[in-house]
Amino acid sequence: MEHALSPVNLAELRRPRPYPAVSVLTPTHRREPENTQDPVRLRNVVAEAKKQLESDPSVTRERRTDVIEQLDRALAEVDLAHAEDGLVIFAAPGEHQVWSLGRTVPERVVLSDTFLTRNLVSARAAERPFWVLSVSADRITLWSGGPERVTEDHSGGFPMTRDRENFDAERQEQIGDIPSTFRDEGTRRFLRDADTALTALLRDAPRPLFVTGEQAALSALDEVGSAIRDAVHVPHGGLANGTPDAVWQAIRPTVEAAARKATDTVARELDSARGRKEFAAGVDEVWQSAREGRVRLLAVEENYRITVRDDGDHLIPAESGDLDAREDIVDEIVEQCLETGADVRFVPDGTLGDEDGIAGVLRY
């Protein structure tokens, strides 16, 4: 199952497919007893997708057989033992993908000539992904971070390792010679290579960056390049060869402090925008502004969901399952705002007070 959505694979998911491109969405659960319903619910929604394929006269028999086979393969790859809050299956002629999301999704089946990506986009924004780079004199490791965890990531040529010939970091640490290790030209060349790789990675997959290592390592990497200039430094050695849990525990206080600071900044921007009359609040008002491309900053409370119906002029509250109900309108708004260059921030529940869970700073 896939977890990390990058700009590259999002672009790939959004390209047109031969009809039918099938998107199957279902909520999942992390814990008992709620997760006991997930296997049955998943089988039922996949069965519904097959039923729609069987009843669609525009789908040829050959193509129907192909896509049903792809759905079966995708279903076999699902690992509900490690489920998060939502699951998305994409299937089209000759291909399939399974995505596990840290944000719930409505149960639905969509047949189109493109995959339904807005729930992936919204989940990625809500997870606030970040990079962690752990630096030592002979190994530099990249970690992909999200809520409550990091995992090692092999993007950009990481991990990078250095030939240990004529190099004994352990001995040098014992004799207090770590600073001179990072003045060594071989080490600095190694760090420059890492800086080049990191610069390319951040260009293709921009995220906030945290860098761990001995203070001497952080200073040396900063001196030889520019990639970590705006990064948050976490002086903590030994993590280039560490476990994901060790890295997470080391950076967790810094990540949480950065999140609190970001939330405070969002609250101040909203207050300022309210005074300038560049402010929108509530799902209907924000949706109207998002469609016009007017939202510069979108703030959404983490667990805010609402089902609505579009009456032509406004969004009005609706019940799940109602005719024309839009259960993932919040995800639609998030995707629309990101498409028009807005900064999207998910904030803790209650942060927005009386603003019904969603608010925006407008461009004009």
Side-chain angles (χ1 to χ4, degrees), residues 108-131:
R108 66 188 307 185
V109 175
V110 178
L111 274 62
S112 183
D113 58 358
T114 58
F115 292 137
L116 184 68
T117 60
R118 61 174 171 256
N119 304 95
L120 271 70
V121 171
S122 182
R124 181 180 184 274
E127 288 179 351
R128 298 184 295 272
F130 56 87
W131 296 117

Side-chain angles (χ1 to χ4, degrees), residues 319-339:
E319 295 295 326
S320 178
D322 283 358
L323 184 65
D324 297 328
R326 296 162 78 166
E327 298 185 43
D328 54 354
I329 189 65
V330 174
D331 289 358
E332 288 189 53
I333 292 172
V334 169
E335 184 179 50
Q336 179 65 36
C337 287
L338 288 170
E339 286 290 321

Side-chain angles (χ1 to χ4, degrees), residues 152-353:
E152 187 171 353
D153 195 292
H154 293 168
S155 301
F158 292 99
M160 299 181 67
T161 57
R162 178 187 174 199
D163 188 352
R164 296 181 63 90
E165 184 179 357
N166 299 322
F167 175 77
D168 188 348
E170 189 173 309
R171 175 183 176 278
Q172 289 175 329
E173 186 171 9
Q174 290 172 351
I175 64 175
D177 198 28
I178 286 294
S180 66
T181 297
F182 290 98
R183 288 196 296 268
D184 172 75
E185 183 53 35
T187 303
R188 295 175 77 82
R189 186 164 50 248
F190 175 60
L191 296 179
R192 277 193 291 270
D193 290 343
D195 180 82
T196 300
L198 183 61
T199 298
L201 174 77
L202 293 175
R203 182 178 59 247
D204 294 338
R207 298 184 189 179
L209 175 66
F210 298 83
V211 186
T212 75
E214 299 284 349
Q215 185 58 60
L218 301 181
S219 299
L221 183 58
D222 206 16
E223 288 171 10
V224 301
S226 59
I228 72 165
R229 199 149 292 164
D230 296 324
V232 178
H233 292 199
V234 182
H236 190 301
L239 297 178
N241 290 291
T243 64
D245 185 63
V247 175
W248 171 243
Q249 295 304 326
I251 68 165
R252 181 176 182 174
T254 306
V255 170
E256 291 177 347
R260 288 192 297 270
K261 183 178 179 180
T263 297
D264 291 343
T265 299
V266 169
R268 287 194 299 271
E269 289 205 44
L270 291 171
D271 285 341
S272 178
R274 192 181 285 109
R276 298 191 309 270
K277 297 184 179 179
E278 297 175 355
F279 179 78
V283 67
D284 183 48
E285 189 175 342
V286 172
W287 172 235
Q288 299 290 342
S289 299
R291 288 196 299 177
E292 296 166 1
R294 296 174 58 204
V295 179
R296 177 174 65 80
L297 168 67
L298 178 71
V300 185
E301 292 187 351
E302 288 170 346
N303 293 301
Y304 177 63
R305 314 291 297 189
I306 185 171
T307 300
V308 299
R309 182 167 48 83
D310 190 344
D311 72 356
D313 295 317
H314 297 282
L315 299 180
I316 57 177
E319 295 295 326
S320 178
D322 283 358
L323 184 65
D324 297 328
R326 296 162 78 166
E327 298 185 43
D328 54 354
I329 189 65
V330 174
D331 289 358
E332 288 189 53
I333 292 172
V334 169
E335 184 179 50
Q336 179 65 36
C337 287
L338 288 170
E339 286 290 321
T340 55
D343 183 11
V344 175
R345 304 287 187 90
F346 282 79
V347 296
D349 293 347
T351 299
L352 301 182

